[in-house]
Coordinates of all heavy atoms in Angstrom, one line a residue:
M1 N 0.8 -1.2 0.0 CA 0.0 -0.1 0.0 C 0.9 1.2 0.0 O 1.9 1.3 0.7 CB -0.9 0.0 1.2 CG -1.7 1.3 1.3 SD -3.0 1.2 2.6 CE -4.2 0.3 1.9
T2 N 0.5 2.2 -0.7 CA 1.2 3.5 -0.7 C 0.5 4.3 0.2 O -0.6 4.6 0.4 CB 1.1 4.2 -2.1 OG1 1.7 3.4 -3.1 CG2 1.9 5.6 -2.2
K3 N 1.4 5.1 1.1 CA 1.0 5.9 2.2 C 1.4 7.3 1.7 O 2.6 7.6 1.3 CB 1.6 5.6 3.5 CG 1.1 4.2 4.0 CD 1.7 3.9 5.3 CE 1.2 2.5 5.7 NZ 2.0 1.9 6.9
I4 N 0.4 8.2 1.8 CA 0.7 9.6 1.4 C 0.4 10.6 2.5 O -0.7 10.4 3.1 CB -0.1 10.0 0.1 CG1 0.2 9.1 -1.1 CG2 0.1 11.4 -0.3 CD1 -0.7 9.2 -2.2
H5 N 1.3 11.5 2.8 CA 1.1 12.4 3.8 C 1.2 13.9 3.1 O 2.2 14.1 2.6 CB 2.1 12.4 4.9 CG 2.0 13.5 6.0 ND1 1.1 13.5 7.0 CD2 2.8 14.6 6.0 CE1 1.2 14.6 7.6 NE2 2.2 15.3 7.1
I6 N 0.1 14.6 3.2 CA 0.1 16.0 2.6 C -0.1 16.9 3.7 O -1.1 16.9 4.5 CB -1.1 16.1 1.6 CG1 -1.0 15.0 0.4 CG2 -1.2 17.4 1.1 CD1 -2.2 14.8 -0.4
D7 N 0.9 17.9 3.8 CA 0.7 19.0 4.8 C 0.8 20.2 3.9 O 1.7 20.8 3.4 CB 2.2 19.0 5.6 CG 2.2 20.2 6.6 OD1 1.3 21.1 6.5 OD2 3.0 20.1 7.5
E8 N -0.6 20.7 3.7 CA -0.7 21.8 2.9 C -0.2 23.2 3.4 O 0.1 24.1 2.8 CB -2.3 21.9 2.5 CG -2.6 20.8 1.5 CD -3.9 21.2 0.7 OE1 -4.1 22.3 0.3 OE2 -4.7 20.2 0.6
D9 N -0.3 23.2 4.8 CA 0.2 24.5 5.5 C 1.7 24.7 5.2 O 2.1 25.9 4.9 CB -0.1 24.3 6.9 CG -1.5 24.4 7.2 OD1 -2.4 25.1 6.6 OD2 -1.8 23.9 8.4
N10 N 2.4 23.7 5.2 CA 3.9 23.8 5.1 C 4.3 23.3 3.7 O 5.5 23.4 3.3 CB 4.7 23.0 6.1 CG 4.5 23.5 7.5 OD1 4.6 24.7 7.7 ND2 4.1 22.7 8.3
Q11 N 3.4 23.0 2.8 CA 3.6 22.5 1.4 C 4.8 21.5 1.4 O 5.8 21.5 0.7 CB 3.9 23.7 0.5 CG 2.9 24.7 0.4 CD 3.2 25.7 -0.9 OE1 2.7 25.3 -1.9 NE2 3.8 26.7 -0.6
T12 N 4.4 20.3 2.2 CA 5.3 19.2 2.2 C 4.5 18.0 1.9 O 3.3 17.8 2.2 CB 5.8 19.0 3.7 OG1 6.6 20.2 3.9 CG2 6.8 17.8 3.8
L13 N 5.1 17.2 1.1 CA 4.6 15.9 0.6 C 5.4 14.8 0.8 O 6.7 14.8 0.5 CB 4.2 16.0 -0.9 CG 3.6 14.8 -1.5 CD1 2.2 14.4 -1.0 CD2 3.7 14.7 -3.0
I14 N 4.9 13.7 1.5 CA 5.7 12.5 1.9 C 5.0 11.2 1.3 O 3.8 11.2 1.6 CB 6.2 12.3 3.3 CG1 6.8 13.5 3.8 CG2 6.9 11.0 3.5 CD1 7.1 13.5 5.2
V15 N 5.6 10.5 0.4 CA 5.0 9.3 -0.1 C 5.9 8.1 0.2 O 7.1 8.1 -0.1 CB 4.8 9.5 -1.6 CG1 4.1 8.3 -2.2 CG2 3.9 10.7 -2.1
T16 N 5.3 7.0 0.7 CA 6.1 5.9 1.0 C 5.4 4.6 0.5 O 4.2 4.6 0.4 CB 6.3 5.7 2.5 OG1 5.1 5.7 3.2 CG2 7.2 6.8 3.1
G17 N 6.1 3.7 0.2 CA 5.6 2.3 -0.1 C 5.4 2.1 -1.6 O 5.5 3.0 -2.3
H18 N 4.7 0.9 -1.9 CA 4.3 0.6 -3.2 C 2.8 0.2 -3.2 O 2.5 -0.6 -2.2 CB 5.1 -0.5 -3.6 CG 4.9 -0.9 -5.3 ND1 4.0 -1.7 -5.6 CD2 5.6 -0.4 -6.2 CE1 4.1 -1.8 -7.0 NE2 5.0 -1.0 -7.3
A19 N 2.1 0.6 -4.1 CA 0.6 0.3 -4.1 C 0.3 -1.2 -4.1 O -0.7 -1.7 -3.6 CB -0.1 1.0 -5.3
D20 N 1.1 -2.0 -4.9 CA 0.9 -3.4 -5.1 C -0.4 -3.6 -5.8 O -1.0 -4.7 -5.6 CB 0.9 -4.2 -3.7 CG 2.4 -4.2 -3.3 OD1 3.3 -4.3 -4.1 OD2 2.5 -4.2 -1.9
Y21 N -0.9 -2.7 -6.6 CA -2.0 -2.9 -7.6 C -1.7 -4.0 -8.5 O -2.7 -4.7 -8.8 CB -2.4 -1.6 -8.0 CG -3.6 -1.7 -9.0 CD1 -4.8 -1.6 -8.5 CD2 -3.5 -1.8 -10.5 CE1 -6.0 -1.6 -9.5 CE2 -4.6 -1.9 -11.3 CZ -5.8 -1.8 -10.6 OH -6.9 -1.9 -11.6
A22 N -0.5 -4.1 -9.1 CA -0.1 -5.0 -10.0 C 1.4 -5.1 -9.9 O 2.0 -4.5 -9.1 CB -0.5 -4.6 -11.4
E23 N 1.9 -6.0 -10.6 CA 3.4 -6.3 -10.6 C 4.1 -4.9 -11.0 O 3.6 -4.2 -11.7 CB 3.9 -7.5 -11.4 CG 3.7 -7.2 -12.9 CD 3.9 -8.4 -13.7 OE1 3.0 -9.3 -13.7 OE2 4.9 -8.5 -14.3
K24 N 5.3 -4.7 -10.4 CA 6.1 -3.6 -10.8 C 6.3 -3.5 -12.3 O 6.5 -4.5 -12.9 CB 7.4 -3.7 -10.1 CG 7.3 -3.4 -8.6 CD 8.7 -3.3 -7.9 CE 8.5 -3.1 -6.4 NZ 9.7 -3.0 -5.7
G25 N 6.1 -2.2 -12.8 CA 6.2 -2.1 -14.3 C 4.8 -2.1 -15.0 O 4.7 -1.6 -16.0
K26 N 3.8 -2.6 -14.2 CA 2.6 -2.7 -14.7 C 1.5 -2.1 -13.8 O 0.2 -2.2 -14.0 CB 2.1 -4.1 -15.1 CG 3.0 -4.8 -16.2 CD 2.4 -6.2 -16.5 CE 3.5 -6.7 -17.5 NZ 3.1 -7.9 -18.0
D27 N 2.0 -1.5 -12.7 CA 1.0 -0.9 -11.7 C 0.6 0.4 -12.0 O 1.4 1.4 -11.9 CB 1.9 -1.0 -10.3 CG 1.0 -0.7 -9.2 OD1 0.0 0.1 -9.2 OD2 1.3 -1.4 -8.1
I28 N -0.6 0.6 -12.5 CA -1.1 1.9 -12.9 C -1.4 2.9 -11.7 O -1.3 4.0 -11.9 CB -2.4 1.8 -13.7 CG1 -3.5 1.2 -12.8 CG2 -2.2 0.9 -15.0 CD1 -4.9 1.2 -13.5
V29 N -1.6 2.3 -10.6 CA -1.7 3.2 -9.4 C -0.3 3.7 -9.0 O -0.3 5.0 -8.9 CB -2.2 2.4 -8.1 CG1 -2.4 3.3 -6.9 CG2 -3.6 1.8 -8.5
C30 N 0.6 3.1 -9.0 CA 2.0 3.7 -8.7 C 2.4 4.6 -9.8 O 3.0 5.6 -9.6 CB 3.0 2.5 -8.5 SG 3.1 1.9 -6.9
A31 N 2.1 4.3 -11.1 CA 2.5 5.0 -12.2 C 1.8 6.5 -12.0 O 2.4 7.5 -12.4 CB 2.2 4.4 -13.5
G32 N 0.5 6.6 -11.7 CA -0.2 7.7 -11.6 C 0.4 8.6 -10.4 O 0.7 9.8 -10.5
I33 N 0.7 7.8 -9.3 CA 1.2 8.5 -8.1 C 2.5 9.1 -8.5 O 2.9 10.2 -8.1 CB 1.2 7.7 -7.0 CG1 -0.1 7.4 -6.4 CG2 2.1 8.3 -5.8 CD1 -0.2 6.3 -5.5
S34 N 3.4 8.3 -9.1 CA 4.8 8.7 -9.6 C 4.8 9.9 -10.4 O 5.5 10.8 -10.3 CB 5.5 7.5 -10.2 OG 5.7 6.5 -9.2
A35 N 3.9 9.9 -11.4 CA 3.8 11.1 -12.3 C 3.5 12.3 -11.7 O 4.1 13.4 -11.8 CB 2.8 10.7 -13.5
L36 N 2.5 12.3 -10.7 CA 2.1 13.6 -9.9 C 3.3 13.9 -8.9 O 3.7 15.1 -9.0 CB 1.0 13.3 -9.2 CG -0.4 13.2 -10.0 CD1 -1.5 12.7 -9.2 CD2 -0.7 14.5 -10.6
V37 N 3.9 13.0 -8.5 CA 5.0 13.3 -7.3 C 6.2 13.8 -8.2 O 6.8 14.8 -7.7 CB 5.3 12.0 -6.6 CG1 6.6 12.2 -5.8 CG2 4.1 11.7 -5.6
Q38 N 6.7 13.3 -9.3 CA 7.7 13.7 -10.0 C 7.4 15.2 -10.6 O 8.4 16.0 -10.6 CB 8.1 12.6 -11.2 CG 8.7 11.5 -10.5 CD 9.1 10.4 -11.5 OE1 9.1 10.7 -12.7 NE2 9.2 9.1 -11.1
T39 N 6.3 15.4 -11.0 CA 5.9 16.6 -11.5 C 6.1 17.7 -10.4 O 6.7 18.8 -10.6 CB 4.5 16.7 -12.0 OG1 4.3 15.8 -13.1 CG2 4.0 18.1 -12.5
L40 N 5.5 17.4 -9.3 CA 5.8 18.4 -8.1 C 7.1 18.4 -7.7 O 7.7 19.6 -7.3 CB 4.8 17.9 -6.9 CG 4.9 18.9 -5.6 CD1 4.2 20.2 -6.1 CD2 4.0 18.3 -4.6
G41 N 7.9 17.4 -7.7 CA 9.3 17.5 -7.4 C 10.1 18.4 -8.2 O 10.9 19.2 -7.9
Q42 N 9.9 18.3 -9.5 CA 10.5 19.1 -10.5 C 10.1 20.6 -10.3 O 11.1 21.4 -10.3 CB 10.2 18.6 -12.0 CG 10.9 19.4 -13.0 CD 12.3 19.2 -13.0 OE1 12.9 18.0 -12.8 NE2 13.2 20.2 -13.2
Y43 N 8.9 20.8 -10.0 CA 8.5 22.1 -9.7 C 9.2 22.7 -8.6 O 9.8 23.9 -8.5 CB 6.9 22.2 -9.5 CG 6.5 23.6 -9.1 CD1 6.2 24.6 -10.1 CD2 6.3 23.9 -7.8 CE1 5.7 25.8 -9.8 CE2 5.9 25.3 -7.4 CZ 5.6 26.2 -8.5 OH 5.3 27.3 -8.0
A44 N 9.3 21.8 -7.4 CA 9.9 22.3 -6.2 C 11.4 22.6 -6.4 O 11.9 23.6 -6.1 CB 9.8 21.2 -5.2
V45 N 12.1 21.8 -7.2 CA 13.6 21.9 -7.5 C 13.8 23.3 -8.3 O 14.6 24.1 -8.0 CB 14.2 20.8 -8.2 CG1 15.6 21.1 -8.8 CG2 14.2 19.6 -7.3
E46 N 12.9 23.5 -9.2 CA 13.0 24.8 -10.0 C 12.7 26.0 -9.3 O 13.1 27.1 -9.8 CB 12.1 24.6 -11.3 CG 12.5 23.6 -12.2 CD 11.5 23.5 -13.4 OE1 10.5 24.1 -13.4 OE2 11.9 22.5 -14.2
H47 N 12.1 25.9 -8.1 CA 11.7 27.1 -7.3 C 12.4 27.1 -5.9 O 11.9 27.6 -5.1 CB 10.2 27.1 -7.2 CG 9.5 27.5 -8.5 ND1 9.1 26.4 -9.4 CD2 9.1 28.6 -9.1 CE1 8.6 27.0 -10.5 NE2 8.6 28.4 -10.3
G48 N 13.5 26.4 -5.9 CA 14.3 26.5 -4.7 C 13.9 25.5 -3.5 O 14.4 25.8 -2.4
G49 N 13.0 24.7 -3.9 CA 12.5 23.7 -2.8 C 13.5 22.5 -2.7 O 14.6 22.5 -3.4
K50 N 13.0 21.5 -2.0 CA 13.8 20.3 -1.9 C 13.0 19.1 -2.3 O 11.8 19.0 -2.2 CB 14.2 20.1 -0.3 CG 15.0 21.2 0.2 CD 15.2 20.9 1.7 CE 15.9 22.1 2.4 NZ 16.0 21.9 3.8
C51 N 13.7 18.2 -2.8 CA 13.1 16.9 -3.3 C 14.0 15.7 -3.1 O 15.1 15.8 -3.5 CB 12.8 17.1 -4.8 SG 12.0 15.7 -5.5
V52 N 13.5 14.8 -2.4 CA 14.3 13.5 -2.2 C 13.5 12.4 -2.7 O 12.3 12.1 -2.3 CB 14.5 13.4 -0.6 CG1 15.4 11.9 -0.3 CG2 15.3 14.6 0.0
Y53 N 14.3 11.5 -3.5 CA 13.6 10.3 -4.1 C 14.6 9.1 -3.8 O 15.7 9.3 -3.8 CB 13.5 10.3 -5.6 CG 12.6 11.3 -6.1 CD1 13.0 12.3 -7.1 CD2 11.3 11.2 -6.0 CE1 12.2 13.2 -7.6 CE2 10.4 12.1 -6.6 CZ 10.8 13.1 -7.4 OH 10.0 14.0 -8.0
R54 N 14.0 8.1 -3.4 CA 14.6 6.8 -3.4 C 13.5 5.7 -3.4 O 12.4 6.0 -3.3 CB 15.5 6.7 -2.0 CG 14.9 6.7 -0.8 CD 15.8 6.5 0.5 NE 15.2 6.5 1.6 CZ 15.1 7.6 2.5 NH1 15.7 8.7 2.2 NH2 14.4 7.5 3.6
P55 N 14.0 4.5 -3.8 CA 12.9 3.5 -3.9 C 11.9 3.4 -2.7 O 12.4 3.2 -1.6 CB 13.7 2.2 -4.1 CG 15.0 2.7 -4.6 CD 15.4 3.9 -4.0
G56 N 10.7 3.5 -3.0 CA 9.6 3.5 -1.9 C 9.5 4.7 -1.2 O 8.9 4.6 -0.1
Y57 N 10.2 5.8 -1.5 CA 10.1 7.0 -0.6 C 10.3 8.2 -1.5 O 11.2 8.3 -2.4 CB 11.2 7.0 0.5 CG 11.2 8.1 1.3 CD1 10.4 8.2 2.5 CD2 12.0 9.2 1.1 CE1 10.5 9.5 3.3 CE2 12.1 10.3 1.8 CZ 11.3 10.5 2.9 OH 11.4 11.6 3.8
A58 N 9.5 9.2 -1.1 CA 9.6 10.5 -1.8 C 9.3 11.6 -0.8 O 8.4 11.4 -0.1 CB 8.9 10.7 -3.0
R59 N 10.0 12.6 -0.7 CA 9.7 13.8 0.2 C 10.0 15.1 -0.7 O 11.0 15.2 -1.3 CB 10.5 13.7 1.4 CG 10.1 15.1 2.3 CD 10.9 15.3 3.5 NE 10.6 16.4 4.1 CZ 9.9 16.6 5.3 NH1 9.9 15.5 6.1 NH2 9.7 17.8 5.9
I60 N 8.9 15.9 -0.7 CA 9.0 17.2 -1.5 C 8.7 18.3 -0.5 O 7.6 18.2 0.2 CB 8.1 17.1 -2.7 CG1 8.6 16.0 -3.6 CG2 8.2 18.5 -3.4 CD1 7.6 15.7 -4.6
D61 N 9.4 19.4 -0.6 CA 9.2 20.6 0.2 C 9.2 21.8 -0.6 O 10.3 22.0 -1.3 CB 10.2 20.7 1.4 CG 10.2 19.6 2.4 OD1 9.2 19.6 3.2 OD2 11.2 18.8 2.4
I62 N 8.1 22.4 -0.7 CA 8.0 23.6 -1.6 C 8.4 24.8 -0.7 O 7.7 25.0 0.2 CB 6.5 23.8 -2.2 CG1 6.1 22.6 -2.9 CG2 6.6 25.1 -2.9 CD1 6.7 22.4 -4.2
L63 N 9.5 25.4 -1.0 CA 10.0 26.4 -0.1 C 9.5 27.8 -0.7 O 9.1 28.6 0.1 CB 11.5 26.5 0.1 CG 12.1 25.2 0.6 CD1 13.6 25.3 0.7 CD2 11.5 24.9 2.0
H64 N 9.5 27.9 -2.0 CA 9.1 29.3 -2.6 C 8.3 28.7 -3.8 O 8.8 27.9 -4.5 CB 10.3 30.1 -3.1 CG 11.3 30.3 -2.0 ND1 11.0 31.3 -0.9 CD2 12.4 29.8 -1.7 CE1 12.0 31.2 -0.1 NE2 13.0 30.3 -0.5
G65 N 7.1 29.2 -4.1 CA 6.4 28.8 -5.2 C 4.9 29.0 -4.9 O 4.4 29.4 -3.9
S66 N 4.2 28.5 -5.8 CA 2.7 28.6 -5.8 C 2.1 27.5 -5.0 O 2.2 26.3 -5.3 CB 2.2 28.5 -7.3 OG 0.9 28.3 -7.3
S67 N 1.3 27.9 -4.0 CA 0.6 26.9 -3.2 C -0.5 26.3 -4.1 O -1.0 25.2 -3.9 CB -0.1 27.6 -2.0 OG -0.9 28.8 -2.4
E68 N -0.9 27.0 -5.2 CA -1.9 26.5 -6.1 C -1.4 25.2 -6.9 O -2.2 24.3 -7.0 CB -2.3 27.6 -7.2 CG -3.5 27.4 -7.8 CD -4.8 27.3 -7.0 OE1 -4.8 28.0 -5.9 OE2 -5.7 26.6 -7.3
V69 N -0.1 25.3 -7.2 CA 0.5 24.0 -7.8 C 0.4 22.9 -6.8 O 0.0 21.8 -7.2 CB 1.9 24.4 -8.3 CG1 2.6 23.1 -8.8 CG2 1.9 25.4 -9.4
F70 N 0.9 23.2 -5.6 CA 0.8 22.1 -4.6 C -0.5 21.6 -4.4 O -0.8 20.4 -4.3 CB 1.4 22.7 -3.3 CG 1.5 21.6 -2.2 CD1 2.8 20.9 -2.2 CD2 0.6 21.3 -1.3 CE1 2.9 19.9 -1.2 CE2 0.6 20.4 -0.3 CZ 1.9 19.6 -0.3
R71 N -1.6 22.5 -4.3 CA -2.9 22.0 -4.0 C -3.5 21.2 -5.2 O -4.3 20.2 -5.1 CB -3.9 23.2 -3.8 CG -3.7 23.8 -2.4 CD -4.9 24.7 -2.0 NE -4.8 25.9 -2.9 CZ -4.2 27.1 -2.5 NH1 -3.7 27.2 -1.4 NH2 -4.2 28.1 -3.3
C72 N -3.0 21.6 -6.4 CA -3.6 20.9 -7.6 C -2.9 19.4 -7.7 O -3.6 18.5 -7.9 CB -3.1 21.6 -8.8 SG -3.5 20.8 -10.5
I73 N -1.7 19.3 -7.4 CA -1.1 17.9 -7.3 C -1.7 17.2 -6.1 O -2.0 16.0 -6.2 CB 0.4 18.0 -7.2 CG1 1.1 18.7 -8.3 CG2 1.0 16.7 -6.8 CD1 1.1 17.9 -9.6
A74 N -1.9 17.8 -5.0 CA -2.4 17.0 -3.7 C -4.0 16.6 -4.1 O -4.3 15.4 -3.7 CB -2.6 18.1 -2.6
E75 N -4.7 17.4 -4.9 CA -6.0 17.0 -5.3 C -6.0 15.9 -6.3 O -6.7 14.9 -6.2 CB -6.9 18.1 -5.8 CG -8.3 17.8 -6.1 CD -9.0 17.1 -4.8 OE1 -8.8 17.6 -3.7 OE2 -9.8 16.2 -5.1
G76 N -5.0 15.9 -7.2 CA -4.7 14.7 -8.0 C -4.5 13.4 -7.2 O -5.0 12.3 -7.6
L77 N -3.7 13.5 -6.2 CA -3.3 12.4 -5.4 C -4.6 11.8 -4.6 O -4.8 10.7 -4.5 CB -2.1 12.7 -4.5 CG -0.9 12.8 -5.2 CD1 0.1 13.4 -4.2 CD2 -0.3 11.6 -5.6
R78 N -5.3 12.8 -4.1 CA -6.5 12.4 -3.4 C -7.6 11.7 -4.3 O -8.2 10.7 -3.9 CB -7.2 13.6 -2.8 CG -6.4 14.3 -1.5 CD -7.2 15.3 -0.9 NE -6.3 16.0 0.2 CZ -5.7 17.1 0.0 NH1 -5.9 17.9 -1.1 NH2 -5.0 17.5 1.0
A79 N -7.7 12.1 -5.5 CA -8.5 11.6 -6.5 C -8.1 10.2 -6.7 O -9.0 9.1 -6.8 CB -8.6 12.3 -7.8
L80 N -6.8 9.9 -7.0 CA -6.3 8.6 -7.1 C -6.6 7.8 -5.9 O -7.1 6.6 -6.0 CB -4.9 8.6 -7.4 CG -4.4 8.7 -8.8 CD1 -2.8 9.0 -8.8 CD2 -4.8 7.5 -9.6
G81 N -6.5 8.3 -4.8 CA -6.7 7.6 -3.5 C -8.2 7.2 -3.3 O -8.6 6.1 -2.9
R82 N -9.1 8.0 -3.8 CA -10.5 7.7 -3.7 C -10.8 6.5 -4.7 O -11.6 5.8 -4.4 CB -11.4 9.0 -4.0 CG -11.5 10.0 -3.0 CD -12.5 11.1 -3.3 NE -12.1 11.9 -4.4 CZ -11.5 12.9 -4.4 NH1 -10.9 13.4 -3.3 NH2 -11.3 13.6 -5.5
Q83 N -10.3 6.6 -5.8 CA -10.5 5.6 -6.9 C -9.9 4.2 -6.5 O -10.5 3.1 -6.8 CB -10.1 6.1 -8.2 CG -10.5 5.1 -9.3 CD -10.3 5.7 -10.7 OE1 -10.0 6.9 -10.9 NE2 -10.5 4.9 -11.7
Y84 N -8.8 4.2 -5.9 CA -8.0 3.1 -5.6 C -7.7 3.0 -4.0 O -6.6 2.7 -3.6 CB -6.7 3.1 -6.4 CG -7.0 3.1 -7.9 CD1 -6.8 4.2 -8.6 CD2 -7.2 1.8 -8.5 CE1 -7.1 4.2 -10.0 CE2 -7.5 1.8 -9.9 CZ -7.4 3.0 -10.6 OH -7.6 2.9 -12.0
D85 N -8.8 3.1 -3.2 CA -8.6 3.2 -1.8 C -8.1 2.0 -1.1 O -7.5 1.9 0.0 CB -9.9 3.7 -1.1 CG -11.1 2.7 -1.4 OD1 -11.0 1.9 -2.3 OD2 -12.1 2.9 -0.6
A86 N -8.0 0.8 -1.8 CA -7.5 -0.4 -1.2 C -6.1 -0.4 -1.3 O -5.4 -1.3 -0.7 CB -8.1 -1.7 -1.9
W87 N -5.4 0.5 -2.2 CA -4.0 0.5 -2.4 C -3.3 1.8 -2.1 O -2.2 1.8 -2.1 CB -3.7 0.2 -3.9 CG -4.2 -1.1 -4.3 CD1 -3.7 -2.3 -4.2 CD2 -5.5 -1.4 -5.0 NE1 -4.4 -3.3 -4.6 CE2 -5.6 -2.8 -5.2 CE3 -6.7 -0.6 -5.3 CZ2 -6.7 -3.4 -5.7 CZ3 -7.8 -1.3 -5.8 CH2 -7.7 -2.7 -6.0
V88 N -4.2 2.8 -1.7 CA -3.5 4.0 -1.2 C -4.2 4.5 0.1 O -5.4 4.4 0.2 CB -3.8 5.1 -2.4 CG1 -3.3 6.5 -2.0 CG2 -3.3 4.8 -3.7
C89 N -3.5 5.0 1.0 CA -3.9 5.6 2.1 C -3.3 7.0 2.5 O -2.2 7.2 2.1 CB -4.0 4.6 3.3 SG -2.4 4.5 4.0
F90 N -4.0 7.8 3.2 CA -3.5 9.1 3.6 C -3.3 9.2 5.1 O -4.1 8.7 5.8 CB -4.5 10.2 3.2 CG -4.5 10.3 1.6 CD1 -5.4 9.5 0.9 CD2 -3.7 11.2 1.0 CE1 -5.4 9.6 -0.5 CE2 -3.7 11.3 -0.4 CZ -4.5 10.4 -1.1
T91 N -2.1 9.7 5.5 CA -1.7 9.7 7.0 C -1.8 11.2 7.5 O -1.7 12.1 6.6 CB -0.4 9.1 7.2 OG1 0.5 9.8 6.5 CG2 -0.4 7.6 6.8

């Protein structure tokens, strides 16, 4: 199961684990989450924020930039979580 922690006040996102919806390389839940997280990570880096990736873990801190971008990505993750709630949880 993928665990997602969203702190909108501090614009911090932490994602851990693997959804296990399907085997690695065919897991559409992980692919969707990864695409959103990598998009936010790239945005963070381009705007002076921090981004840490390693297998099964990502942490992104937006230090300077648009809270609107953060909220948009967070809502996309929540939508995936609603659709695939057996494989995604929010902490």
Side-chain angles (χ1 to χ4, degrees):
M1 176 171 285
T2 299
K3 296 177 183 173
I4 300 173
H5 175 78
I6 299 170
D7 180 348
E8 288 199 44
D9 292 334
N10 295 311
Q11 294 194 92
T12 298
L13 174 72
I14 300 171
V15 179
T16 58
H18 189 273
D20 293 321
Y21 178 81
E23 64 186 82
K24 289 184 179 182
K26 296 182 180 182
D27 192 322
I28 61 171
V29 177
C30 275
I33 292 169
S34 293
L36 290 168
V37 169
Q38 289 177 19
T39 299
L40 186 62
Q42 184 63 37
Y43 177 84
V45 169
E46 289 175 1
H47 292 87
K50 297 178 184 177
C51 180
V52 174
Y53 293 119
R54 61 179 182 260
Y57 177 85
R59 179 185 175 120
I60 299 168
D61 297 287
I62 305 289
L63 301 178
H64 308 286
S66 171
S67 60
E68 200 60 33
V69 171
F70 187 88
R71 280 193 297 263
C72 181
I73 296 293
E75 187 51 42
L77 290 167
R78 288 185 188 107
L80 274 170
R82 285 189 297 273
Q83 187 168 355
Y84 297 99
D85 61 345
W87 298 276
V88 179
C89 74
F90 293 86
T91 61

